[in-house]
Amino acid sequence: MRRAKQYRKLAQREMRGAGGGLRYIEKADGERDARLGSRAAAVRSFNEEIPMIARYTRPAMGAIWSDDNKYRCWLAVELAASEVLSEFGVVPADAVANLRAHADVDAERIAEIEAEVRHDVIAFTTCVAEKMAEAGHATDSRWLHYGLTSNDVVDTAQSLQLKQASSIIREDLKALIEVLRRRAFEFENTIQIGRPHGVHAEPITFGLKLA
Protein backbone atom coordinates (compact mmCIF):
# COMPACT_ATOMS: atom_id res chain seq x y z
CA MET A 1 0.00 0.00 0.00
CA ARG A 2 2.82 2.40 0.89
CA ARG A 3 4.61 1.68 -2.37
CA ALA A 4 1.38 2.20 -4.35
CA LYS A 5 0.97 5.64 -2.75
CA GLN A 6 4.57 6.49 -3.61
CA TYR A 7 3.97 5.49 -7.24
CA ARG A 8 0.87 7.68 -7.44
CA LYS A 9 2.70 10.67 -5.99
CA LEU A 10 5.59 10.12 -8.39
CA ALA A 11 3.21 9.94 -11.33
CA GLN A 12 1.45 13.12 -10.25
CA ARG A 13 4.75 14.99 -10.02
CA GLU A 14 6.03 13.77 -13.36
CA MET A 15 2.94 14.14 -15.53
CA ARG A 16 0.91 17.14 -16.64
CA GLY A 17 -2.41 17.25 -18.46
CA ALA A 18 -2.47 18.93 -21.87
CA GLY A 19 -5.84 18.86 -23.60
CA GLY A 20 -6.63 15.52 -21.98
CA GLY A 21 -3.21 14.10 -22.83
CA LEU A 22 -0.19 13.35 -20.67
CA ARG A 23 3.44 14.17 -21.18
CA TYR A 24 6.60 13.47 -19.23
CA ILE A 25 8.42 16.33 -17.55
CA GLU A 26 11.99 16.09 -18.74
CA LYS A 27 14.57 15.99 -15.97
CA ALA A 28 18.28 15.26 -15.74
CA ASP A 29 19.07 12.06 -17.64
CA GLY A 30 20.84 10.43 -14.73
CA GLU A 31 18.01 11.09 -12.29
CA ARG A 32 15.34 9.87 -14.72
CA ASP A 33 17.27 6.72 -15.69
CA ALA A 34 17.83 5.83 -12.04
CA ARG A 35 14.15 6.35 -11.28
CA LEU A 36 12.99 4.23 -14.23
CA GLY A 37 15.47 1.49 -13.33
CA SER A 38 14.11 1.39 -9.81
CA ARG A 39 10.55 1.31 -11.15
CA ALA A 40 11.36 -1.59 -13.48
CA ALA A 41 12.87 -3.56 -10.61
CA ALA A 42 9.78 -2.89 -8.50
CA VAL A 43 7.45 -4.07 -11.27
CA ARG A 44 9.45 -7.26 -11.78
CA SER A 45 9.49 -8.08 -8.08
CA PHE A 46 5.85 -7.17 -7.40
CA ASN A 47 4.54 -10.65 -8.18
CA GLU A 48 7.02 -12.25 -5.80
CA GLU A 49 6.25 -9.90 -2.92
CA ILE A 50 2.50 -9.35 -3.05
CA PRO A 51 0.09 -11.76 -4.84
CA MET A 52 1.36 -15.12 -3.57
CA ILE A 53 3.92 -15.85 -0.83
CA ALA A 54 5.85 -18.88 -2.06
CA ARG A 55 6.09 -20.67 1.28
CA TYR A 56 2.32 -20.44 1.78
CA THR A 57 1.22 -21.89 -1.55
CA ARG A 58 1.77 -24.90 -3.76
CA PRO A 59 3.33 -24.69 -7.22
CA ALA A 60 0.04 -25.29 -9.04
CA MET A 61 -1.79 -22.48 -7.22
CA GLY A 62 1.18 -20.13 -7.34
CA ALA A 63 1.45 -20.62 -11.10
CA ILE A 64 -2.16 -19.52 -11.58
CA TRP A 65 -1.46 -16.17 -9.90
CA SER A 66 1.90 -15.60 -11.57
CA ASP A 67 2.40 -12.66 -13.92
CA ASP A 68 2.94 -15.04 -16.82
CA ASN A 69 -0.43 -16.76 -16.39
CA LYS A 70 -2.17 -13.43 -15.73
CA TYR A 71 -0.96 -12.04 -19.05
CA ARG A 72 -1.85 -15.27 -20.85
CA CYS A 73 -5.37 -14.95 -19.48
CA TRP A 74 -5.42 -11.36 -20.73
CA LEU A 75 -4.36 -12.62 -24.15
CA ALA A 76 -7.05 -15.30 -24.13
CA VAL A 77 -9.69 -12.63 -23.48
CA GLU A 78 -8.27 -10.36 -26.20
CA LEU A 79 -8.26 -13.17 -28.78
CA ALA A 80 -11.78 -14.27 -27.87
CA ALA A 81 -13.04 -10.70 -28.26
CA SER A 82 -11.30 -10.35 -31.63
CA GLU A 83 -12.88 -13.57 -32.87
CA VAL A 84 -16.38 -12.44 -31.88
CA LEU A 85 -15.85 -9.05 -33.52
CA SER A 86 -14.69 -10.89 -36.63
CA GLU A 87 -17.96 -12.81 -36.71
CA PHE A 88 -19.75 -9.44 -36.89
CA GLY A 89 -17.47 -8.24 -39.66
CA VAL A 90 -15.69 -5.66 -37.51
CA VAL A 91 -12.25 -7.29 -37.41
CA PRO A 92 -10.76 -8.94 -40.53
CA ALA A 93 -10.78 -12.73 -40.33
CA ASP A 94 -7.18 -13.02 -41.56
CA ALA A 95 -6.03 -10.62 -38.83
CA VAL A 96 -7.73 -12.78 -36.20
CA ALA A 97 -6.07 -15.90 -37.64
CA ASN A 98 -2.65 -14.26 -37.48
CA LEU A 99 -3.27 -13.03 -33.93
CA ARG A 100 -4.31 -16.51 -32.87
CA ALA A 101 -1.22 -18.02 -34.48
CA HIS A 102 1.47 -15.53 -33.46
CA ALA A 103 0.35 -13.36 -30.52
CA ASP A 104 2.36 -14.06 -27.38
CA VAL A 105 3.43 -12.44 -24.10
CA ASP A 106 6.65 -12.03 -22.12
CA ALA A 107 6.19 -11.01 -18.46
CA GLU A 108 9.70 -9.57 -18.12
CA ARG A 109 9.34 -7.48 -21.28
CA ILE A 110 5.94 -6.21 -20.10
CA ALA A 111 7.55 -5.11 -16.82
CA GLU A 112 10.21 -3.19 -18.74
CA ILE A 113 7.63 -1.41 -20.88
CA GLU A 114 5.39 -0.66 -17.90
CA ALA A 115 8.33 1.03 -16.19
CA GLU A 116 8.32 3.51 -19.07
CA VAL A 117 4.63 3.96 -19.90
CA ARG A 118 3.23 3.43 -16.37
CA HIS A 119 0.21 1.50 -17.63
CA ASP A 120 -0.02 -2.28 -17.39
CA VAL A 121 -2.44 -2.86 -20.27
CA ILE A 122 -0.54 -0.54 -22.63
CA ALA A 123 2.62 -2.43 -21.71
CA PHE A 124 0.85 -5.70 -22.43
CA THR A 125 -0.51 -4.67 -25.83
CA THR A 126 2.86 -3.18 -26.79
CA CYS A 127 4.58 -6.46 -25.97
CA VAL A 128 2.06 -8.41 -28.04
CA ALA A 129 2.56 -5.96 -30.93
CA GLU A 130 6.31 -6.59 -30.74
CA LYS A 131 5.71 -10.33 -30.94
CA MET A 132 3.45 -9.87 -33.96
CA ALA A 133 6.09 -7.70 -35.66
CA GLU A 134 8.72 -10.37 -35.05
CA ALA A 135 6.42 -12.87 -36.78
CA GLY A 136 5.99 -10.54 -39.76
CA HIS A 137 2.40 -9.50 -39.00
CA ALA A 138 2.89 -6.08 -37.41
CA THR A 139 -0.18 -4.48 -39.02
CA ASP A 140 -2.54 -7.13 -37.61
CA SER A 141 -1.70 -6.14 -34.04
CA ARG A 142 -3.81 -2.99 -34.52
CA TRP A 143 -6.90 -5.18 -34.12
CA LEU A 144 -5.83 -6.41 -30.70
CA HIS A 145 -7.80 -4.67 -27.93
CA TYR A 146 -10.11 -3.18 -30.55
CA GLY A 147 -13.21 -1.71 -28.90
CA LEU A 148 -12.16 -2.80 -25.40
CA THR A 149 -11.30 -0.98 -22.20
CA SER A 150 -8.68 -2.09 -19.70
CA ASN A 151 -11.33 -3.37 -17.28
CA ASP A 152 -12.96 -5.47 -20.01
CA VAL A 153 -9.73 -7.43 -20.22
CA VAL A 154 -8.41 -7.33 -16.65
CA ASP A 155 -11.67 -8.18 -14.88
CA THR A 156 -12.65 -10.94 -17.30
CA ALA A 157 -9.18 -12.48 -17.18
CA GLN A 158 -9.22 -12.40 -13.39
CA SER A 159 -12.44 -14.40 -13.53
CA LEU A 160 -10.55 -17.01 -15.58
CA GLN A 161 -7.84 -17.12 -12.91
CA LEU A 162 -10.46 -17.50 -10.18
CA LYS A 163 -12.01 -20.37 -12.13
CA GLN A 164 -8.61 -22.07 -12.44
CA ALA A 165 -7.91 -21.62 -8.73
CA SER A 166 -11.40 -22.78 -7.76
CA SER A 167 -10.94 -26.03 -9.68
CA ILE A 168 -7.93 -26.84 -7.50
CA ILE A 169 -9.80 -25.94 -4.31
CA ARG A 170 -12.83 -27.99 -5.40
CA GLU A 171 -10.74 -31.12 -5.96
CA ASP A 172 -8.96 -30.60 -2.62
CA LEU A 173 -12.30 -30.27 -0.83
CA LYS A 174 -13.50 -33.51 -2.37
CA ALA A 175 -10.37 -35.25 -1.08
CA LEU A 176 -10.76 -33.65 2.37
CA ILE A 177 -14.40 -34.72 2.67
CA GLU A 178 -13.45 -38.30 1.83
CA VAL A 179 -10.69 -38.32 4.45
CA LEU A 180 -13.01 -36.88 7.11
CA ARG A 181 -15.68 -39.45 6.27
CA ARG A 182 -13.20 -42.32 6.55
CA ARG A 183 -11.71 -41.07 9.81
CA ALA A 184 -15.13 -40.34 11.33
CA PHE A 185 -16.08 -44.02 10.98
CA GLU A 186 -12.63 -45.07 12.14
CA PHE A 187 -13.05 -43.16 15.42
CA GLU A 188 -16.82 -43.55 15.87
CA ASN A 189 -16.28 -45.30 19.24
CA THR A 190 -13.29 -43.29 20.47
CA ILE A 191 -14.45 -41.37 23.54
CA GLN A 192 -13.36 -37.82 24.20
CA ILE A 193 -14.40 -35.01 26.52
CA GLY A 194 -16.95 -32.56 25.19
CA ARG A 195 -15.84 -28.93 25.50
CA PRO A 196 -18.49 -26.21 25.38
CA HIS A 197 -16.99 -22.79 26.20
CA GLY A 198 -13.65 -24.27 27.29
CA VAL A 199 -14.95 -26.46 30.12
CA HIS A 200 -15.63 -30.20 30.36
CA ALA A 201 -19.05 -31.38 29.21
CA GLU A 202 -20.72 -34.70 28.46
CA PRO A 203 -18.47 -37.18 26.64
CA ILE A 204 -18.68 -37.45 22.87
CA THR A 205 -16.73 -39.46 20.33
CA PHE A 206 -13.90 -38.16 18.19
CA GLY A 207 -15.74 -39.61 15.21
CA LEU A 208 -18.72 -37.34 15.96
CA LYS A 209 -16.39 -34.34 16.13
CA LEU A 210 -14.96 -35.16 12.71
CA ALA A 211 -18.42 -35.68 11.25
Side-chain angles (χ1 to χ4, degrees):
M1 181 64 71
R2 183 180 303 170
R3 178 160 36 182
K5 290 181 180 178
Q6 291 172 344
Y7 288 164
R8 285 195 294 270
K9 289 180 181 179
L10 180 63
Q12 290 169 357
R13 289 199 305 268
E14 294 174 353
M15 292 177 155
R16 291 289 187 271
L22 293 173
R23 64 180 178 81
Y24 287 110
I25 297 175
E26 294 299 332
K27 296 185 178 180
D29 290 341
E31 178 184 350
R32 186 171 184 276
D33 290 345
R35 185 177 65 253
L36 291 178
S38 175
R39 168 70 175 177
V43 171
R44 282 193 296 269
S45 66
F46 182 80
N47 186 62
E48 298 177 0
E49 297 178 9
I50 303 299
M52 296 297 293
I53 300 176
R55 67 176 178 270
Y56 294 141
T57 190
R58 294 169 297 168
M61 185 64 78
I64 289 173
W65 298 104
S66 68
D67 278 346
D68 181 71
N69 188 59
K70 177 182 72 174
Y71 294 134
R72 294 194 180 283
C73 287
W74 288 13
L75 183 59
V77 173
E78 294 277 12
L79 294 176
S82 295
E83 289 177 349
V84 172
L85 289 174
S86 177
E87 293 175 2
F88 285 92
V90 178
V91 176
D94 57 344
V96 173
N98 288 331
L99 284 169
R100 177 63 71 179
H102 303 291
D104 200 2
V105 294
D106 183 329
E108 290 189 3
R109 176 57 182 150
I110 293 172
E112 292 174 357
I113 300 171
E114 186 181 353
E116 285 280 355
V117 302
R118 290 172 170 77
H119 194 291
D120 53 354
V121 176
I122 292 176
F124 161 77
T125 56
T126 301
C127 177
V128 176
E130 291 177 348
K131 295 291 186 181
M132 292 297 293
E134 292 172 4
H137 298 283
T139 57
D140 291 327
S141 62
R142 69 184 293 268
W143 297 106
L144 186 81
H145 202 67
Y146 189 85
L148 301 178
T149 68
S150 295
N151 279 1
D152 291 333
V153 177
V154 175
D155 292 353
T156 307
Q158 190 172 64
S159 296
L160 296 179
Q161 290 177 278
L162 287 171
K163 182 178 179 180
Q164 293 170 358
S166 296
S167 67
I168 293 178
I169 295 172
R170 182 175 61 249
E171 293 305 313
D172 288 347
L173 287 174
K174 289 179 181 178
L176 175 61
I177 290 171
E178 181 55 36
V179 169
L180 290 175
R181 178 181 180 279
R182 175 171 56 82
R183 300 292 272 181
F185 281 109
E186 180 180 350
F187 294 105
E188 62 179 329
N189 296 317
T190 300
I191 303 299
Q192 75 163 70
I193 296 172
R195 290 183 177 276
H197 305 292
V199 299
H200 290 184
E202 293 182 359
I204 61 172
T205 68
F206 186 52
L208 175 63
K209 193 175 185 71
L210 291 174

